[in-house]
């Protein structure tokens, strides 16, 4: 399901001793990679890709999301046993269909402390 280089790179970056003492933030386009990242020394994942589902229906939620953007669709969630924070931005664009419904675009500003 995941390209081999993504798992390999995550493991290499997060396992080096001199990095382990520092908090690790991972920027990865596909939000569903959080399940892999949560098994490594990653403290926060920031993603996009799903556009929040673009079309959301009352009582149902998102209707269609792209591959690898189906579990962590929008907003702040937690992944894995460590409950690693995953933030998925809805972004400004669209994917598949050039339309949004009940899913406002967003620009996210995060302050890391």
């Amino acid at each position: 399901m995941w390209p081999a280089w993504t798992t390999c790179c995550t493991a290499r970056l997060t396992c080096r001793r001199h990095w382990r003492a520092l908090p690790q933030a991972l920027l990865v386009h596909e939000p569903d990679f959080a399940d892999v990242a949560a098994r490594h020394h990653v403290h926060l994942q920031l993603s996009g890709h799903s556009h929040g589902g673009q079309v959301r229906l009352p009582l149902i939620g998102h209707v269609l999301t792209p591959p690898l953007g189906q579990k962590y669709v929008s907003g702040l969630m937690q992944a894995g046993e460590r409950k690693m924070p995953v933030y998925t931005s809805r972004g400004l664009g669209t994917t598949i269909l050039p339309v949004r419904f009940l899913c406002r675009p967003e620009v996210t500003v995060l302050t890391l402390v």
Side-chain angles (χ1 to χ4, degrees):
M1 179 173 178
W2 295 104
W5 66 267
T6 55
T7 303
C8 176
C9 289
T10 301
R12 284 186 188 157
L13 285 174
T14 60
C15 289
R16 294 188 181 176
R17 283 189 192 159
H18 62 277
W19 289 89
R20 291 188 66 81
L22 301 171
Q24 302 290 312
L26 177 66
L27 304 174
V28 62
H29 187 71
E30 295 85 0
D32 290 355
F33 188 72
D35 292 330
V36 174
R39 294 193 304 261
H40 296 279
H41 187 71
V42 175
H43 297 92
L44 168 67
Q45 178 177 308
L46 303 173
S47 297
H49 184 59
S50 67
H51 299 278
Q54 285 182 219
V55 175
R56 302 181 72 83
L57 300 177
L59 305 177
I60 295 175
H62 62 276
V63 177
L64 180 65
T65 56
L68 307 181
Q70 299 175 357
K71 186 172 181 181
Y72 304 99
V73 177
S74 178
L76 184 61
M77 292 162 277
Q78 298 175 332
E81 292 178 14
R82 293 186 307 112
K83 301 197 181 306
M84 177 192 73
V86 180
Y87 184 80
T88 306
S89 170
R90 292 190 307 265
L92 297 174
T94 58
T95 184
I96 303 168
L97 300 172
V99 65
R100 284 185 179 264
F101 182 73
L102 296 178
C103 185
R104 296 180 62 176
E106 71 177 357
V107 173
T108 305
V109 177
L110 298 172
T111 303
L112 303 176
V113 291

